[in-house]
Amino acid sequence: MPTTAAPMPFAGPRLRPPCNLTSARPGPRRAGLAVVSAAAGGSPPTVLVTGAGGRTGQIVYKKLKERTDQFVGRGLVRTEESKAKIGGAADVFVGDIRDPASIAPAIDGIDALIILTSAVPKMKPGFDPSKGGRPEFYFDEGSYPEQVDWIGQKNQIDAAKSIGVKQIVLVGSMGGTDVNHPLNKIGNANILVWKRKAEQYLADSGLPYTIIRAGGLQDKDGGVRELIVGKDDEILKTETKTIARADVAEVCLQALLFEEARFKAFDLASKPEGEGVPTTDFRTLFSQLIIDSVRLLMEELKNIAVC
């Protein structure tokens, strides 16, 4: 049985410097993963999205398959039912992220990984909204955030690193600066705590990363709102703290196209439709953010173990 209470893996959203990291001096500025492949005359990079059966994952997978000039798309789902739901193509693999061996075939040969897996709470039966009160939630045995959002994501990062993947995009959630955030109380399972621990593990891995901490997800059309990026959960203090799943999916793909998105972790939301100008310049969006302190240390230090 997983633990039901846990200390925060690290204080606040700023990723701490990785331990025992050796780095060469930075090279020249690079373009994004897909741009480099195209410029080199090679085939588009192979990109795997895990959690491809989820509501956001389905959109990412669909976008990858639509952009064959930029990407070779793959999906990873947990069940054959989920595979059938998104078309049942041969490039959709079935595997359990809690079992490293079962996800190895999906990860073999990829250039980039987009992680969209997440523990899913279930509502306890018997809730009657007409009687007031709040619904209670639980997680299936073996599917708690500790096992899915921490161990499962760690397994994905380890597998990707073992084959030399060039970039990982990880989608998390805003709210991780507050250990008492309501999301942590769902099923008493500390979901944001375990998500943030996985984020730190990715930063410590030395791999190029983009960590997207999305606001409240909405099932609305994308591409019609101005996107907002921020840090430290400051967006949660405003009225603009939601975002369409389709916009999150688009940012995942755009993060593979621009060097400005690498080694950055940020909050993501959008203005209401009709307010502001719909975001189309993603290079500028990513450029608003400073590179994480992890990256700065990697660039400044050479052959020094940092701990």
Side-chain angles (χ1 to χ4, degrees):
M1 185 75 176
T3 56
T4 57
M8 288 293 287
F10 62 101
R14 291 189 177 89
L15 302 178
R16 64 174 182 266
C19 290
N20 301 320
L21 176 65
T22 299
S23 172
R25 293 189 184 278
R29 187 175 185 81
R30 301 183 303 278
L33 176 62
V35 174
V36 169
S37 295
S43 59
T46 298
V47 181
L48 171 68
V49 54
T50 62
R55 284 186 287 174
T56 308
Q58 288 184 51
I59 303 172
V60 173
Y61 176 72
K62 183 173 184 289
K63 285 178 176 286
L64 286 170
K65 299 302 291 181
E66 290 173 344
R67 303 181 190 182
T68 55
D69 59 325
Q70 292 180 308
F71 309 105
V72 176
R74 285 188 192 176
L76 176 71
V77 297
R78 190 169 59 87
T79 66
E80 291 289 347
E81 180 182 4
S82 291
K83 177 174 179 174
K85 183 169 63 175
I86 60 173
D91 57 26
V92 177
F93 295 76
V94 177
D96 187 338
I97 61 171
R98 298 166 299 182
D99 175 11
S102 75
I103 64 174
I107 288 179
D108 183 44
I110 66 172
D111 298 293
L113 172 65
I114 299 175
I115 299 176
L116 270 164
T117 52
S118 181
V120 179
K122 295 183 177 181
M123 186 185 298
K124 290 184 177 180
F127 173 68
D128 185 351
S130 67
K131 296 181 180 179
R134 294 179 180 272
E136 295 184 14
F137 295 89
Y138 71 98
F139 293 89
D140 285 336
E141 184 67 28
S143 297
Y144 278 71
E146 180 181 355
Q147 295 151 324
V148 177
D149 293 275
W150 163 230
I151 296 172
Q153 292 190 0
K154 177 180 179 294
N155 288 341
Q156 295 175 67
I157 294 165
D158 287 344
K161 185 174 182 178
S162 73
I163 66 158
V165 77
K166 299 178 179 65
Q167 186 172 354
I168 294 180
V169 177
L170 187 152
V171 178
S173 175
M174 286 194 286
T177 60
D178 180 11
V179 70
N180 295 313
H181 191 281
L183 287 178
N184 282 328
K185 300 182 185 301
I186 293 177
N188 195 28
N190 289 316
I191 188 168
L192 294 180
V193 170
W194 297 112
K195 284 181 180 291
R196 288 299 177 101
K197 187 169 184 178
E199 290 179 12
Q200 184 64 59
Y201 189 79
L202 174 56
D204 285 348
S205 73
L207 293 169
Y209 65 85
T210 305
I211 296 170
I212 302 168
R213 297 167 181 149
L217 295 170
Q218 298 181 316
D219 295 313
K220 295 182 177 181
D221 291 338
V224 295
R225 298 171 187 81
E226 182 174 328
L227 303 185
I228 304 167
V229 292
K231 290 274 192 177
D232 300 356
D233 287 335
E234 292 177 352
I235 292 175
L236 289 179
K237 302 172 185 176
T238 73
E239 297 300 317
T240 54
K241 49 193 175 187
T242 60
I243 186 166
R245 294 179 186 275
D247 285 327
V248 175
E250 184 63 33
V251 172
C252 287
L253 268 61
Q254 293 292 334
L256 300 176
L257 301 177
F258 297 105
E259 176 68 12
E260 289 82 358
R262 290 188 169 196
F263 296 100
K264 291 182 178 179
F266 54 90
D267 302 335
L268 180 67
S270 68
K271 294 182 179 180
E273 187 175 350
E275 182 179 323
V277 179
T279 297
T280 58
D281 184 350
F282 290 90
R283 185 191 298 276
T284 297
L285 182 75
F286 298 136
S287 296
Q288 296 176 40
L289 299 155
I290 61 171
I291 297 174
D292 281 322
S293 58
V294 170
R295 179 56 173 165
L296 294 176
L297 272 166
M298 290 175 65
E299 292 184 342
E300 291 171 0
L301 300 179
K302 180 181 180 182
N303 298 324
I304 298 176
V306 179
C307 191

Short mmCIF file of all heavy atoms in Angstrom, two decimals, residues 27-80:
data_model
loop_
_atom_site.label_atom_id
_atom_site.label_comp_id
_atom_site.label_asym_id
_atom_site.label_seq_id
_atom_site.Cartn_x
_atom_site.Cartn_y
_atom_site.Cartn_z
N GLY A 27 27.95 24.71 -26.03
CA GLY A 27 28.30 24.90 -27.42
C GLY A 27 27.52 26.05 -28.01
O GLY A 27 26.86 26.80 -27.29
N PRO A 28 27.52 26.18 -29.32
CA PRO A 28 26.76 27.25 -29.94
C PRO A 28 25.27 27.03 -29.78
O PRO A 28 24.81 25.90 -29.56
CB PRO A 28 27.18 27.14 -31.42
CG PRO A 28 27.62 25.72 -31.58
CD PRO A 28 28.26 25.35 -30.28
N ARG A 29 24.52 28.09 -29.90
CA ARG A 29 23.08 28.02 -29.76
C ARG A 29 22.50 27.07 -30.81
O ARG A 29 22.87 27.12 -31.97
CB ARG A 29 22.48 29.42 -29.93
CG ARG A 29 21.01 29.49 -29.64
CD ARG A 29 20.56 30.94 -29.71
NE ARG A 29 19.18 31.07 -29.32
CZ ARG A 29 18.76 31.12 -28.07
NH1 ARG A 29 19.63 31.03 -27.09
NH2 ARG A 29 17.48 31.26 -27.78
N ARG A 30 21.58 26.21 -30.40
CA ARG A 30 21.02 25.21 -31.29
C ARG A 30 19.56 25.49 -31.57
O ARG A 30 18.85 26.08 -30.75
CB ARG A 30 21.14 23.82 -30.66
CG ARG A 30 22.57 23.41 -30.35
CD ARG A 30 22.61 22.01 -29.80
NE ARG A 30 21.78 21.85 -28.62
CZ ARG A 30 22.16 22.19 -27.40
NH1 ARG A 30 23.35 22.73 -27.21
NH2 ARG A 30 21.36 22.01 -26.37
N ALA A 31 19.10 25.05 -32.72
CA ALA A 31 17.68 25.11 -33.02
C ALA A 31 17.00 23.93 -32.35
O ALA A 31 17.64 23.07 -31.77
CB ALA A 31 17.46 25.08 -34.53
N GLY A 32 15.67 23.89 -32.43
CA GLY A 32 14.93 22.81 -31.82
C GLY A 32 15.17 21.48 -32.51
O GLY A 32 15.75 21.40 -33.60
N LEU A 33 14.70 20.42 -31.89
CA LEU A 33 14.95 19.06 -32.34
C LEU A 33 14.49 18.83 -33.77
O LEU A 33 15.23 18.34 -34.61
CB LEU A 33 14.23 18.09 -31.39
CG LEU A 33 14.28 16.61 -31.72
CD1 LEU A 33 15.70 16.11 -31.70
CD2 LEU A 33 13.43 15.83 -30.73
N ALA A 34 13.24 19.18 -34.07
CA ALA A 34 12.71 18.93 -35.41
C ALA A 34 13.38 19.79 -36.46
O ALA A 34 13.61 19.36 -37.59
CB ALA A 34 11.20 19.16 -35.43
N VAL A 35 13.72 21.02 -36.09
CA VAL A 35 14.37 21.93 -37.03
C VAL A 35 15.75 21.42 -37.41
O VAL A 35 16.15 21.44 -38.58
CB VAL A 35 14.47 23.34 -36.43
CG1 VAL A 35 15.27 24.25 -37.34
CG2 VAL A 35 13.07 23.93 -36.22
N VAL A 36 16.47 20.92 -36.43
CA VAL A 36 17.80 20.37 -36.70
C VAL A 36 17.72 19.20 -37.67
O VAL A 36 18.50 19.08 -38.61
CB VAL A 36 18.47 19.94 -35.38
CG1 VAL A 36 19.72 19.12 -35.66
CG2 VAL A 36 18.83 21.16 -34.55
N SER A 37 16.76 18.30 -37.45
CA SER A 37 16.61 17.14 -38.32
C SER A 37 16.31 17.55 -39.75
O SER A 37 16.86 17.01 -40.70
CB SER A 37 15.49 16.23 -37.80
OG SER A 37 15.84 15.71 -36.54
N ALA A 38 15.44 18.54 -39.90
CA ALA A 38 15.07 18.99 -41.24
C ALA A 38 16.25 19.66 -41.94
O ALA A 38 16.52 19.43 -43.11
CB ALA A 38 13.89 19.95 -41.16
N ALA A 39 16.97 20.49 -41.18
CA ALA A 39 18.10 21.21 -41.75
C ALA A 39 19.20 20.25 -42.18
O ALA A 39 19.93 20.50 -43.14
CB ALA A 39 18.64 22.22 -40.74
N ALA A 40 19.32 19.15 -41.47
CA ALA A 40 20.36 18.17 -41.78
C ALA A 40 19.95 17.24 -42.92
O ALA A 40 20.73 16.39 -43.34
CB ALA A 40 20.67 17.34 -40.54
N GLY A 41 18.75 17.42 -43.42
CA GLY A 41 18.29 16.59 -44.51
C GLY A 41 17.89 15.19 -44.08
O GLY A 41 17.67 14.31 -44.92
N GLY A 42 17.77 14.97 -42.77
CA GLY A 42 17.40 13.66 -42.28
C GLY A 42 15.90 13.51 -42.15
O GLY A 42 15.13 14.42 -42.45
N SER A 43 15.48 12.35 -41.68
CA SER A 43 14.06 12.12 -41.48
C SER A 43 13.59 12.86 -40.24
O SER A 43 14.40 13.17 -39.35
CB SER A 43 13.78 10.63 -41.33
OG SER A 43 14.51 10.11 -40.22
N PRO A 44 12.30 13.17 -40.14
CA PRO A 44 11.79 13.85 -38.95
C PRO A 44 12.06 13.04 -37.69
O PRO A 44 12.15 11.81 -37.74
CB PRO A 44 10.30 13.98 -39.24
CG PRO A 44 10.17 13.86 -40.72
CD PRO A 44 11.26 12.92 -41.14
N PRO A 45 12.18 13.68 -36.54
CA PRO A 45 12.43 12.95 -35.30
C PRO A 45 11.23 12.11 -34.90
O PRO A 45 10.08 12.49 -35.15
CB PRO A 45 12.68 14.07 -34.28
CG PRO A 45 11.95 15.25 -34.84
CD PRO A 45 12.10 15.14 -36.32
N THR A 46 11.51 10.98 -34.29
CA THR A 46 10.45 10.11 -33.79
C THR A 46 10.09 10.55 -32.37
O THR A 46 10.96 10.61 -31.49
CB THR A 46 10.89 8.64 -33.78
OG1 THR A 46 11.17 8.24 -35.13
CG2 THR A 46 9.81 7.74 -33.21
N VAL A 47 8.83 10.85 -32.17
CA VAL A 47 8.35 11.39 -30.89
C VAL A 47 7.30 10.47 -30.31
O VAL A 47 6.30 10.14 -30.98
CB VAL A 47 7.77 12.81 -31.07
CG1 VAL A 47 7.31 13.37 -29.72
CG2 VAL A 47 8.79 13.73 -31.72
N LEU A 48 7.50 10.04 -29.07
CA LEU A 48 6.54 9.20 -28.37
C LEU A 48 5.78 10.03 -27.36
O LEU A 48 6.38 10.74 -26.55
CB LEU A 48 7.27 8.06 -27.64
CG LEU A 48 6.41 7.21 -26.68
CD1 LEU A 48 5.38 6.38 -27.45
CD2 LEU A 48 7.29 6.31 -25.81
N VAL A 49 4.45 9.95 -27.39
CA VAL A 49 3.63 10.54 -26.33
C VAL A 49 3.06 9.41 -25.50
O VAL A 49 2.42 8.49 -26.01
CB VAL A 49 2.52 11.45 -26.91
CG1 VAL A 49 1.66 10.72 -27.93
CG2 VAL A 49 1.65 11.99 -25.77
N THR A 50 3.33 9.45 -24.21
CA THR A 50 2.77 8.46 -23.30
C THR A 50 1.50 9.05 -22.68
O THR A 50 1.33 10.25 -22.58
CB THR A 50 3.77 8.09 -22.20
OG1 THR A 50 4.09 9.25 -21.41
CG2 THR A 50 5.05 7.53 -22.80
N GLY A 51 0.61 8.17 -22.29
CA GLY A 51 -0.71 8.65 -21.88
C GLY A 51 -1.52 9.07 -23.09
O GLY A 51 -2.39 9.95 -23.00
N ALA A 52 -1.26 8.43 -24.24
CA ALA A 52 -1.90 8.83 -25.49
C ALA A 52 -3.39 8.52 -25.52
O ALA A 52 -4.10 9.00 -26.41
CB ALA A 52 -1.22 8.13 -26.66
N GLY A 53 -3.87 7.75 -24.56
CA GLY A 53 -5.30 7.47 -24.50
C GLY A 53 -6.07 8.48 -23.69
O GLY A 53 -7.31 8.47 -23.69
N GLY A 54 -5.37 9.37 -22.98
CA GLY A 54 -6.02 10.38 -22.18
C GLY A 54 -6.55 11.52 -23.05
O GLY A 54 -6.26 11.62 -24.24
N ARG A 55 -7.32 12.41 -22.43
CA ARG A 55 -7.96 13.47 -23.21
C ARG A 55 -6.96 14.44 -23.83
O ARG A 55 -7.15 14.88 -24.96
CB ARG A 55 -8.97 14.22 -22.33
CG ARG A 55 -10.25 13.44 -22.11
CD ARG A 55 -11.29 14.24 -21.37
NE ARG A 55 -10.94 14.40 -19.97
CZ ARG A 55 -11.63 15.16 -19.11
NH1 ARG A 55 -12.67 15.87 -19.54
NH2 ARG A 55 -11.28 15.23 -17.85
N THR A 56 -5.90 14.77 -23.11
CA THR A 56 -4.86 15.61 -23.69
C THR A 56 -3.93 14.80 -24.57
O THR A 56 -3.50 15.23 -25.64
CB THR A 56 -4.06 16.33 -22.59
OG1 THR A 56 -4.96 17.01 -21.70
CG2 THR A 56 -3.11 17.35 -23.20
N GLY A 57 -3.60 13.59 -24.14
CA GLY A 57 -2.70 12.73 -24.91
C GLY A 57 -3.24 12.41 -26.28
O GLY A 57 -2.49 12.34 -27.26
N GLN A 58 -4.54 12.21 -26.39
CA GLN A 58 -5.14 11.94 -27.69
C GLN A 58 -4.91 13.10 -28.66
O GLN A 58 -4.65 12.89 -29.85
CB GLN A 58 -6.66 11.71 -27.54
CG GLN A 58 -7.02 10.40 -26.89
CD GLN A 58 -8.52 10.19 -26.86
OE1 GLN A 58 -9.20 10.32 -27.88
NE2 GLN A 58 -9.06 9.88 -25.69
N ILE A 59 -5.00 14.32 -28.14
CA ILE A 59 -4.79 15.49 -28.99
C ILE A 59 -3.34 15.58 -29.44
O ILE A 59 -3.05 15.86 -30.62
CB ILE A 59 -5.20 16.78 -28.25
CG1 ILE A 59 -6.66 16.70 -27.80
CG2 ILE A 59 -5.01 18.01 -29.15
CD1 ILE A 59 -7.09 17.83 -26.89
N VAL A 60 -2.41 15.32 -28.53
CA VAL A 60 -0.99 15.35 -28.90
C VAL A 60 -0.71 14.30 -29.96
O VAL A 60 -0.04 14.58 -30.97
CB VAL A 60 -0.10 15.12 -27.66
CG1 VAL A 60 1.37 14.98 -28.08
CG2 VAL A 60 -0.25 16.26 -26.67
N TYR A 61 -1.20 13.08 -29.76
CA TYR A 61 -0.97 12.01 -30.74
C TYR A 61 -1.53 12.40 -32.10
O TYR A 61 -0.87 12.22 -33.14
CB TYR A 61 -1.60 10.72 -30.23
CG TYR A 61 -1.49 9.57 -31.22
CD1 TYR A 61 -0.27 8.94 -31.46
CD2 TYR A 61 -2.61 9.14 -31.93
CE1 TYR A 61 -0.17 7.90 -32.37
CE2 TYR A 61 -2.52 8.10 -32.84
CZ TYR A 61 -1.29 7.48 -33.06
OH TYR A 61 -1.20 6.45 -33.97
N LYS A 62 -2.72 12.95 -32.12
CA LYS A 62 -3.35 13.35 -33.38
C LYS A 62 -2.52 14.43 -34.08
O LYS A 62 -2.30 14.38 -35.29
CB LYS A 62 -4.77 13.85 -33.11
CG LYS A 62 -5.56 14.24 -34.35
CD LYS A 62 -7.00 14.56 -33.97
CE LYS A 62 -7.85 14.86 -35.20
NZ LYS A 62 -7.51 16.14 -35.84
N LYS A 63 -2.04 15.39 -33.32
CA LYS A 63 -1.22 16.46 -33.91
C LYS A 63 0.08 15.90 -34.48
O LYS A 63 0.54 16.31 -35.56
CB LYS A 63 -0.92 17.53 -32.85
CG LYS A 63 -2.09 18.46 -32.52
CD LYS A 63 -1.71 19.45 -31.43
CE LYS A 63 -2.82 20.45 -31.15
NZ LYS A 63 -2.94 21.47 -32.22
N LEU A 64 0.69 14.97 -33.77
CA LEU A 64 1.92 14.36 -34.27
C LEU A 64 1.67 13.65 -35.61
O LEU A 64 2.47 13.75 -36.54
CB LEU A 64 2.46 13.35 -33.26
CG LEU A 64 3.12 13.90 -32.00
CD1 LEU A 64 3.38 12.77 -31.00
CD2 LEU A 64 4.43 14.62 -32.32
N LYS A 65 0.56 12.94 -35.70
CA LYS A 65 0.26 12.18 -36.91
C LYS A 65 -0.12 13.09 -38.07
O LYS A 65 0.05 12.72 -39.24
CB LYS A 65 -0.88 11.19 -36.63
CG LYS A 65 -0.56 10.16 -35.55
CD LYS A 65 0.68 9.34 -35.87
CE LYS A 65 0.46 8.42 -37.03
NZ LYS A 65 1.66 7.60 -37.33
N GLU A 66 -0.61 14.28 -37.76
CA GLU A 66 -0.97 15.23 -38.81
C GLU A 66 0.24 15.94 -39.38
O GLU A 66 0.19 16.44 -40.50
CB GLU A 66 -1.96 16.26 -38.26
CG GLU A 66 -3.34 15.71 -37.96
CD GLU A 66 -4.24 16.71 -37.25
OE1 GLU A 66 -3.71 17.72 -36.72
OE2 GLU A 66 -5.46 16.48 -37.21
N ARG A 67 1.33 16.00 -38.63
CA ARG A 67 2.50 16.79 -39.03
C ARG A 67 3.66 15.86 -39.43
O ARG A 67 4.73 15.85 -38.80
CB ARG A 67 2.91 17.75 -37.92
CG ARG A 67 1.76 18.67 -37.54
CD ARG A 67 2.11 19.65 -36.45
NE ARG A 67 0.91 20.33 -35.98
CZ ARG A 67 0.89 21.27 -35.04
NH1 ARG A 67 2.04 21.64 -34.47
NH2 ARG A 67 -0.24 21.82 -34.66
N THR A 68 3.42 15.08 -40.44
CA THR A 68 4.41 14.10 -40.85
C THR A 68 5.68 14.73 -41.43
O THR A 68 6.71 14.06 -41.52
CB THR A 68 3.81 13.15 -41.90
OG1 THR A 68 3.28 13.92 -42.99
CG2 THR A 68 2.68 12.33 -41.29
N ASP A 69 5.60 16.01 -41.80
CA ASP A 69 6.81 16.69 -42.28
C ASP A 69 7.72 17.08 -41.13
O ASP A 69 8.91 17.32 -41.33
CB ASP A 69 6.43 17.93 -43.08
CG ASP A 69 5.62 18.93 -42.27
OD1 ASP A 69 4.81 18.49 -41.41
OD2 ASP A 69 5.79 20.15 -42.48
N GLN A 70 7.18 17.11 -39.91
CA GLN A 70 7.96 17.52 -38.74
C GLN A 70 8.25 16.38 -37.77
O GLN A 70 9.29 16.38 -37.11
CB GLN A 70 7.21 18.62 -37.97
CG GLN A 70 7.11 19.95 -38.70
CD GLN A 70 6.36 20.98 -37.88
OE1 GLN A 70 5.25 20.72 -37.40
NE2 GLN A 70 6.96 22.14 -37.71
N PHE A 71 7.34 15.41 -37.68
CA PHE A 71 7.47 14.37 -36.66
C PHE A 71 7.06 13.00 -37.19
O PHE A 71 6.21 12.90 -38.07
CB PHE A 71 6.59 14.69 -35.44
CG PHE A 71 6.74 16.06 -34.88
CD1 PHE A 71 5.78 17.04 -35.08
CD2 PHE A 71 7.87 16.39 -34.13
CE1 PHE A 71 5.91 18.30 -34.56
CE2 PHE A 71 8.01 17.66 -33.60
CZ PHE A 71 7.03 18.62 -33.82
N VAL A 72 7.66 11.98 -36.60
CA VAL A 72 7.16 10.61 -36.73
C VAL A 72 6.53 10.27 -35.38
O VAL A 72 7.24 10.17 -34.38
CB VAL A 72 8.28 9.62 -37.08
CG1 VAL A 72 7.75 8.20 -37.10
CG2 VAL A 72 8.93 9.98 -38.41
N GLY A 73 5.23 10.18 -35.34
CA GLY A 73 4.53 10.05 -34.08
C GLY A 73 4.36 8.62 -33.61
O GLY A 73 4.16 7.70 -34.42
N ARG A 74 4.42 8.44 -32.29
CA ARG A 74 4.11 7.17 -31.64
C ARG A 74 3.27 7.47 -30.41
O ARG A 74 3.32 8.56 -29.84
CB ARG A 74 5.37 6.46 -31.15
CG ARG A 74 6.22 5.80 -32.19
CD ARG A 74 7.31 4.98 -31.48
NE ARG A 74 8.34 4.53 -32.40
CZ ARG A 74 9.43 3.88 -32.01
NH1 ARG A 74 9.63 3.61 -30.73
NH2 ARG A 74 10.34 3.49 -32.90
N GLY A 75 2.53 6.45 -29.97
CA GLY A 75 1.75 6.59 -28.74
C GLY A 75 1.97 5.40 -27.83
O GLY A 75 2.28 4.30 -28.29
N LEU A 76 1.81 5.64 -26.53
CA LEU A 76 1.83 4.57 -25.54
C LEU A 76 0.56 4.67 -24.71
O LEU A 76 0.25 5.74 -24.17
CB LEU A 76 3.06 4.66 -24.64
CG LEU A 76 3.11 3.63 -23.50
CD1 LEU A 76 3.39 2.24 -24.05
CD2 LEU A 76 4.17 4.00 -22.45
N VAL A 77 -0.17 3.57 -24.63
CA VAL A 77 -1.39 3.50 -23.83
C VAL A 77 -1.29 2.32 -22.88
O VAL A 77 -0.41 1.46 -23.03
CB VAL A 77 -2.64 3.37 -24.72
CG1 VAL A 77 -2.81 4.60 -25.61
CG2 VAL A 77 -2.56 2.11 -25.59
N ARG A 78 -2.22 2.26 -21.93
CA ARG A 78 -2.14 1.22 -20.91
C ARG A 78 -2.90 -0.03 -21.29
O ARG A 78 -2.58 -1.13 -20.81
CB ARG A 78 -2.66 1.77 -19.58
CG ARG A 78 -2.42 0.87 -18.37
CD ARG A 78 -2.74 1.60 -17.08
NE ARG A 78 -4.11 2.05 -17.02
CZ ARG A 78 -5.13 1.31 -16.58
NH1 ARG A 78 -4.91 0.07 -16.16
NH2 ARG A 78 -6.35 1.80 -16.55
N THR A 79 -3.94 0.09 -22.14
CA THR A 79 -4.78 -1.06 -22.45
C THR A 79 -5.06 -1.15 -23.95
O THR A 79 -4.96 -0.16 -24.68
CB THR A 79 -6.13 -0.97 -21.71
OG1 THR A 79 -6.86 0.16 -22.20
CG2 THR A 79 -5.93 -0.83 -20.21
N GLU A 80 -5.45 -2.34 -24.39
CA GLU A 80 -5.85 -2.54 -25.78
C GLU A 80 -7.10 -1.71 -26.10
O GLU A 80 -7.28 -1.24 -27.23
CB GLU A 80 -6.12 -4.02 -26.04
CG GLU A 80 -4.89 -4.91 -26.02
CD GLU A 80 -3.98 -4.68 -27.22
OE1 GLU A 80 -4.42 -4.03 -28.19
OE2 GLU A 80 -2.83 -5.16 -27.19
#
